[in-house]
Amino acid sequence: MKAKLPVLSALALSVGLLSTHAFAANPETVTIGYQKANIFALLKYRGTLDETFKKEGIAIRWVEFPAGPQMLEGLNVGSIDLAATGDAPPAFAQAAKADLIYLGHSPANPKTEAIVVPKDSAIKSVADLKGKRVGLNKGSDVNYLLVKALEDAGLNYKDVTPVYLPPADARAAFQKGAIDAWVIWDPYLAEVEANAGAREIRNAEGLVPHYTFYLASRPFAEGHPDTAKQVVDELSKLSDWANKNPDDAAAILSKSTGLDKAIWQTTIKRLPYGASRMSPQVFDEQQALADTFTRVGLLPVKVDVRSATWSLDKK
């Protein structure tokens, strides 16, 4: 019996190693959701991640989405593994019980979203928005900016009439005068400033940080942690390249979106790229966003943002 124990121990060890290897094995395919204007679009068109993964026998399937909420719905149902969105969509997804993980985030970029009015508007400040029609994309990052800007000016969300429109429809409404103000992000912000003379009355500086979050489904992040970490590392390398080569990045994103390169040059000047793992401070800021949306009734439940912490960040 004693003679068999070393054999059994060795067998158990080999089985354990095999199961660990199987758990951490590379996936055959990684499916990434992207929008035409975000950092994953830049990564897609540069092709560096495809090249890196191809060497490891991993294929990438890129799936385009019109906006963050639809992309996170795809993440929740398992049709994609990875996504990048602004800071509001993950909070709404968590409220809807999406099983997602925060892999990392960009630097804060508060200059890339603002409240704008027509150039000849009598509106001079956020306080002047009382009783006005304000266009915005419901549940988006700019929804948070509007709430905080109104409160900073001594108003509340009920003091304006929100007109919920996606960017293309809001742009048309802004041009026609169907809305009095528009809360929007780059590159749409840069476009309406350049082509319609829109005037900023407040951007997010001093109000909200405005991050891009890099997200994964929990099964993917926990089942393939090395692959997920590799994506964050590749985003970091891409960010260094984009920050050093803004004209080249602008050319790629111009092709992706159909917007003039000059629009993207303006956008990139106020958009620092980067990819960092989540920190307690960023989680606190994201929790403040979620709590604000719950307080004003845009979220039906309280969200525990840290429930989406990656296990690698808990160690």
Side-chain angles (χ1 to χ4, degrees), residues 70-80 93 96-100 217:
Q70 295 95 321
M71 186 156 42
L72 294 190
E73 184 178 344
L75 193 77
N76 189 40
V77 301
S79 61
I80 60 173
K97 307 301 182 185
D99 199 14
L100 59 82
S217 69

Side-chain angles (χ1 to χ4, degrees), residues 64-248:
E64 184 185 327
F65 287 85
Q70 295 95 321
M71 186 156 42
L72 294 190
E73 184 178 344
L75 193 77
N76 189 40
V77 301
S79 61
I80 60 173
D81 302 310
L82 296 160
T85 76
D87 30 27
F92 280 83
Q94 284 188 270
K97 307 301 182 185
D99 199 14
L100 59 82
I101 292 290
Y102 289 89
L103 297 180
H105 64 91
S106 73
N109 49 95
K111 294 181 181 180
T112 63
E113 59 178 11
I115 305 170
V116 297
V117 296
K119 58 185 175 182
D120 56 355
S121 172
I123 297 170
K124 304 298 180 186
S125 68
V126 175
D128 295 334
L129 293 176
K130 186 171 183 178
K132 303 298 185 183
R133 297 159 298 171
V134 182
L136 71 154
N137 200 52
K138 187 176 184 180
S140 66
D141 310 339
V142 293
N143 212 155
Y144 187 39
L145 168 58
L146 179 60
V147 171
K148 299 300 286 185
L150 289 170
E151 291 178 349
D152 187 62
L155 303 176
N156 62 52
Y157 202 57
K158 294 180 181 178
D159 286 323
V160 300
T161 301
V163 180
Y164 296 122
L165 297 167
D169 293 339
R171 177 66 172 85
F174 185 83
Q175 190 77 34
K176 289 189 245 181
I179 53 177
D180 301 300
W182 185 21
V183 199
I184 190 58
W185 61 90
D186 275 325
Y188 309 107
L189 172 60
E191 186 280 326
V192 76
E193 288 175 325
N195 296 331
R199 173 167 50 84
E200 284 190 21
I201 60 169
R202 190 71 160 94
N203 67 22
E205 286 186 287
L207 287 176
V208 298
H210 188 39
Y211 295 105
T212 292
F213 284 110
Y214 310 126
L215 307 157
S217 69
R218 188 182 298 274
F220 179 81
E222 303 295 4
H224 305 287
D226 292 340
T227 305
K229 182 178 180 299
Q230 206 169 357
V231 172
V232 177
D233 292 343
E234 197 66 40
L235 286 169
S236 181
K237 293 176 188 175
L238 174 72
S239 297
D240 289 342
W241 173 85
N243 291 333
K244 292 173 183 174
N245 301 276
D247 285 351
D248 292 337

Side-chain angles (χ1 to χ4, degrees), residues 26 47-59 230 234:
N26 287 341
T48 52
L49 185 63
D50 293 80
E51 291 173 7
T52 299
F53 276 3
K54 186 176 181 180
K55 294 173 185 175
E56 299 176 19
I58 303 172
Q230 206 169 357
E234 197 66 40

